[in-house]
Amino acid sequence: MAADARHPLTPTGPATEGPTAPHADSAPDVRPAGRDRRESTAHMRGRAEPEPAGGLVGTAARPAPEPAGGLVGTAVRPAPEPAGGLVVAPEPVPLPDASAPHDVPQPLIAHGCWYPSVDPDGRQVAFICDRTGVPQLWAGPVDGDQVRLLDADPDPVTEVSWSPDGRWIAYTTAPGGGELTRVLCVRPDGTMRRLLAGGEPGASAHLGCWSPDGSAVAVTVTEPAPAGLAHTESDGPTATTDPPVPTHTGGWTGRDGRAILLGGTPLMSAAHEEPGRTVVHGNHSAPSGDPGHRTLAAYLVDPEGGTAPVLLASEAGAPTLRVCALSRDLGLALLRRGPRGRREALVVRLPDRAVTGSVRVADGDPWIGGFSPDGRTLWLRSDAGREFAALVAVRLGPRGQWLGRRVVAARPGCDLELLTLGRAGRSAVLSWNVRGVSELEVTPLDPAALEGDGAGHPESPAAAGPSHTLTLPHEVVTRVAPTPVADGPVVALSGSRRRPGMWWLHQGVALRTPWSSRDEDAVPAGRPPVRPIPLRPIARDGLPLGGWYYRAPGRSPEEAAPCVLHLHGGPEEQERPVLDPLYHELLGRGLDVFAPDVRGSSGYGRSFVDADLGAGRFDALEDVADCAAHVIVEGLADPRRLAVMGRSYGGYLTMASLVWHPDLFRTGVAVCGMSDLATFFTGTEPWLAESAAHKYGHPERDRELLRALSPMSRVDALRVPVLAVHGEHDTNVPVGESEQFVRAARERGLDAQLLLLHQEGHEFRRADNRRLFRRTAADWIQRHLAT
């Protein structure tokens, strides 16, 4: 395959898409906004990786053998640079081994285990576990308790993938708890740990799929942040793991339908019914030194470093780009790209990097599908032309051209949330979201049944053969890892009465893995978890909403209780009936919790997700008041003792609710929320700005709309105390968004505080920080709802 990285992914013509000890300086900071940032950040830098011989990742590209057929051969050529010269092909860098014995301190009895990946024999599982206080990489047998810690470094682990040949485990970490990530790999025994991509300061890397033979893993890399954006202090240079504070520097471009495109040329795609050869290329008009120019490039990387990385695709100005699957002959790649609300699946023919087809796919889980063993059928989780995501089959020609697509499995009113193809490619495990609860089924995949369907109506379901349901012990499936037995996967589960854990579905029986927490250890003795009840409020414009209500233990059914409305993030997330330690903390203080799904949430269909776009956000703000009114009218909540809180978009919605409905709530807790959409667009990650512009409005043409939607524009209406919480390394929603809202509240004589969590980003991953956040928030709300 010609690996000319000067061609990013853009077709030219029509296409047919007891914790480990925390850092000594990791104590949180509770402070009013406006204090000198150097006071709180000069001592928070993360630990830099040692620089091995040969330099850091990305410093050099070694000669690459180009094999016959595209990816393997004998001709030697240098690994190329992608468009603009900004991304250098990653090179594996050996690191010191960091595995630890089994008897590491384990003070967390009720730990969580999630994100399983199973070895080729189906007997060993690599997974993420926080039993030491931070999410780290572990491995153990499905039917034994001898787990081992494969990487004891304190950087949180976010994804895991065991190679098909069993020789490597690839995983993603977030240095300093921030939003920039690295891809590493290690042997299953904890040796030969190495950094594959994301080692340069300000760079980021994301994990893709393995090649079918396990000899290489796909990674997506970004160029480092433009010079001057990473913060430095007067007492010395910034450590290489210190997350940058990015600033969007312009380069706003026009709309593409409902999507907003920021900088660079987007990958254009046409309907899959219009097949054709489309060469992958890019926009060369943006100078390589333009700070607004950002390129994503996907490579196949040999973990042992024996061959040079092979470029699969690149795209300038891309918000996301992930390699989800490769055909067994390495002729085709399945890519997922595009901003939230505009995700696309692309098939790329690797020898000439032509995009042979594209189709819209659902938001949510990034692993959207894969190829049949012969490479002639593509199985996808897609909501193209539909309200709810379904299993879709795409028939492919001998050169990857799209011959037609059919719906293979669909349920009315339910999203296909997770799609996991079996090891042999003859079956799939489907996880359906049924009003917030998961239902799991195994269905056969028969490409022969689709022959001749190219001319059929794509929305007429094709027969997929008989399927059977797998019984689950808890409510929500978060991930499915296939094993050699089609109906015996390892499943990560969460539920309203347990911590995240894993079950081996063996011969129709769900067996808890011995290293997952027991249900009875989910919470301290004497405080049982609360099973929520579903509620269906009706918005003032007649739109049905949803949500879950948690009643504090021991309360009389007739008693109107102090209640906290908790608003989820996204906005496309959905409330699910899972054990949330924050809710458990609030319930233990005698506070009820109502967790609603206002418009914009997932799980209710595409129209519901899109109902808050642009000016529809004003209706979402009214939904919050309507949800509060619902629990008051039902006699559940005391109208004199209501609080509101939420994280990310929920943090924005919290601040907005406090100024739009100033007499409704007694207090609010805003976590990592946006207070001014103009400053948010200026400071957020460019990829996130593209998705956010689709949701909220264009930062230039829709400036007045964004101002009207911003809580800061109405802060004079704020009348109640407010607590803001933020991670110091959050570059999705910069900490200044909380600072300015708290500062404005204090200037108006209100009680306002900011809890700044060290070594955290947009997600709070460390157990000690999560515990402090829960207790601080519960203390705040309890104090202000006491009378």
Side-chain angles (χ1 to χ4, degrees):
M1 178 185 73
D4 182 2
R6 293 171 296 178
H7 297 298
L9 194 61
T10 307
T12 55
T16 69
E17 160 200 10
T20 46
H23 292 240
D25 54 13
S26 64
D29 183 14
V30 181
R31 61 187 173 95
R35 192 165 143 193
D36 189 346
R37 286 300 304 280
R38 287 176 297 180
E39 203 174 316
S40 60
T41 59
H43 63 291
M44 300 174 194
R45 300 190 189 101
R47 178 176 47 76
E49 293 284 359
E51 181 172 339
L56 290 175
V57 166
T59 57
R62 66 174 56 182
E66 175 167 291
L71 294 182
V72 187
T74 56
V76 177
R77 62 186 301 158
E81 284 190 8
L86 294 177
V87 182
V88 178
E91 179 180 351
V93 175
L95 298 173
D97 291 344
S99 59
H102 175 86
D103 57 352
V104 295
Q106 298 180 28
L108 296 183
I109 297 175
H111 56 268
C113 298
W114 62 94
Y115 215 104
S117 185
V118 183
D119 77 339
D121 295 332
R123 306 300 298 182
Q124 296 285 324
V125 185
F127 57 96
I128 301 172
C129 182
D130 65 356
R131 69 172 65 209
T132 63
V134 63
Q136 293 173 303
L137 177 66
W138 293 73
V142 294
D143 53 359
D145 58 4
Q146 295 304 306
V147 294
R148 54 197 182 277
L149 177 59
L150 299 183
D151 189 341
D153 276 1
D155 291 334
V157 175
T158 60
E159 290 184 307
V160 180
S161 182
W162 207 313
S163 66
D165 61 3
R167 299 173 64 241
W168 292 100
I169 299 171
Y171 57 108
T172 304
T173 67
E179 304 312 309
L180 304 183
T181 54
R182 296 176 170 183
V183 175
L184 299 91
C185 68
V186 69
R187 295 290 196 191
D189 62 0
T191 63
M192 296 186 68
R193 186 175 68 117
R194 53 195 60 203
L195 178 64
L196 297 186
E200 292 184 323
S204 192
H206 303 277
L207 182 63
C209 66
W210 284 93
S211 62
D213 63 359
S215 63
V217 64
V219 297
T220 299
V221 295
T222 67
E223 79 278 9
L229 295 186
H231 60 272
T232 58
E233 308 298 341
S234 58
D235 59 346
T238 302
T240 58
T241 55
D242 197 17
V245 180
T247 301
H248 197 279
T249 54
W252 306 101
T253 62
R255 297 177 186 268
D256 173 24
R258 290 183 298 180
I260 309 300
L261 309 169
L262 312 181
T265 298
L267 184 148
M268 305 299 293
S269 58
H272 70 276
E273 289 86 1
E274 301 172 11
R277 183 179 185 280
T278 312
V279 179
V280 177
H281 77 97
N283 172 26
H284 304 289
S285 61
S288 60
D290 179 2
H293 185 72
R294 176 181 185 269
T295 296
L296 293 181
Y299 292 88
L300 267 182
V301 179
D302 173 9
E304 298 189 26
T307 58
V310 177
L311 180 71
L312 300 179
S314 67
E315 182 180 0
T320 57
L321 187 66
R322 185 186 292 253
V323 183
C324 295
L326 295 165
S327 62
R328 294 192 180 183
D329 64 357
L330 294 179
L332 301 173
L334 171 64
L335 272 62
R336 172 183 175 268
R337 55 86 57 198
R340 291 183 331 208
R342 297 283 290 177
R343 305 292 193 201
E344 286 182 299
L346 306 176
V347 172
V348 175
R349 190 167 55 228
L350 295 182
D352 58 1
R353 295 217 305 281
V355 178
T356 66
S358 67
V359 69
R360 174 173 173 156
V361 291
D363 286 332
D365 186 67
W367 304 104
I368 55 176
F371 297 98
S372 63
D374 64 1
R376 299 295 296 274
T377 303
L378 174 66
W379 308 100
L380 287 173
R381 182 179 62 87
S382 172
D383 62 354
R386 301 179 56 83
E387 273 291 306
F388 294 91
L391 174 60
V392 173
V394 179
R395 293 294 294 154
L396 303 174
R399 289 177 50 78
Q401 65 271 30
W402 290 40
L403 304 179
R405 63 178 170 88
R406 291 293 300 269
V407 172
V408 174
R411 290 193 182 186
C414 299
D415 269 317
L416 176 58
E417 189 169 35
L418 300 173
L419 167 61
T420 304
L421 301 184
R423 292 275 181 89
R426 293 189 293 270
S427 65
V429 182
L430 311 180
S431 179
W432 299 95
N433 181 344
V434 184
R435 296 175 295 281
V437 175
S438 299
E439 293 187 5
L440 209 63
E441 69 176 347
V442 177
T443 187
L445 300 177
D446 183 10
L450 303 171
E451 294 292 346
D453 281 342
H457 193 282
E459 302 309 315
S460 301
S467 62
H468 64 276
T469 300
L470 301 177
T471 302
L472 301 173
H474 292 283
E475 292 100 322
V476 178
V477 176
T478 60
R479 187 162 174 81
V480 179
T483 68
V485 180
D487 58 354
V490 172
V491 179
L493 295 176
S494 289
S496 60
R497 305 179 70 83
R498 68 153 294 105
R499 302 279 179 150
M502 284 177 241
W503 273 255
W504 179 29
L505 303 183
H506 179 59
Q507 297 181 351
V509 178
L511 304 176
R512 180 183 62 86
T513 53
W515 25 266
S516 294
S517 287
R518 301 176 303 169
D519 291 355
E520 55 266 35
D521 295 328
V523 296
R527 288 182 55 193
V530 171
R531 188 183 298 276
I533 59 172
L535 294 183
R536 292 289 278 171
I538 302 297
R540 63 193 62 189
D541 63 358
L543 182 67
L545 308 176
W548 298 86
Y549 196 90
Y550 297 76
R551 192 73 161 165
R555 173 160 289 120
S556 166
E558 294 79 23
E559 180 185 356
C563 181
V564 181
L565 260 71
H566 187 275
L567 306 167
H568 65 67
E572 306 92 341
E573 293 177 15
Q574 181 189 11
E575 281 292 338
R576 311 295 291 272
V578 298
L579 176 61
D580 188 325
L582 171 63
Y583 297 175
H584 186 71
E585 183 77 36
L586 295 169
L587 292 163
R589 309 293 185 95
L591 304 169
D592 284 10
V593 176
F594 180 37
D597 288 320
V598 301
R599 70 190 69 205
S601 306
S602 60
Y604 302 87
R606 174 54 59 183
S607 296
F608 194 89
V609 171
D610 290 345
D612 68 345
L613 294 182
R617 189 105 15 233
F618 293 113
D619 295 324
L621 293 173
E622 299 302 332
D623 288 348
V624 177
D626 295 339
C627 288
H630 181 81
V631 293
I632 291 171
V633 171
E634 292 293 313
L636 298 170
D638 183 347
R640 300 163 300 175
R641 292 187 291 169
L642 291 178
V644 62
M645 73 177 298
R647 195 192 69 82
S648 189
Y649 173 73
Y652 156 79
L653 212 53
T654 294
M655 289 185 276
S657 297
L658 291 176
V659 298
W660 255 267
H661 311 294
D663 298 317
L664 184 56
F665 301 104
R666 292 277 295 275
T667 188
V669 178
V671 185
C672 300
M674 305 93 75
S675 62
D676 186 317
L677 293 176
T679 56
F680 161 71
F681 272 108
T682 299
T684 189
E685 298 275 4
W687 66 267
L688 187 61
E690 180 166 347
S691 293
H694 165 64
K695 297 298 295 185
Y696 305 121
H698 193 281
E700 291 181 352
R701 289 193 300 277
D702 299 326
R703 189 175 304 164
E704 288 305 308
L705 172 63
L706 296 181
R707 186 193 64 80
L709 287 169
S710 295
M712 286 297 295
S713 68
R714 300 172 61 105
V715 73
D716 285 339
L718 183 64
R719 300 178 186 174
V720 298
V722 62
L723 171 67
V725 184
H726 227 104
E728 64 162 342
H729 290 161
D730 189 350
T731 55
N732 285 5
V733 179
V735 68
E737 294 299 304
S738 286
E739 290 176 329
Q740 62 194 6
F741 194 76
V742 169
R743 184 185 305 114
R746 291 172 66 87
E747 289 171 351
R748 287 155 178 80
L750 298 170
D751 183 9
Q753 294 291 328
L754 170 61
L755 172 65
L756 185 66
L757 297 178
H758 294 196
Q759 294 295 314
E760 298 288 3
H762 197 59
E763 304 282 347
F764 303 157
R765 296 187 171 99
R766 302 180 188 278
D768 52 350
N769 280 334
R770 295 197 306 269
R771 188 181 306 112
L772 178 72
F773 156 61
R774 295 195 301 268
R775 292 176 178 173
T776 303
D779 286 345
W780 180 275
I781 294 173
Q782 186 178 25
R783 181 168 73 251
H784 289 289
L785 296 189
T787 57

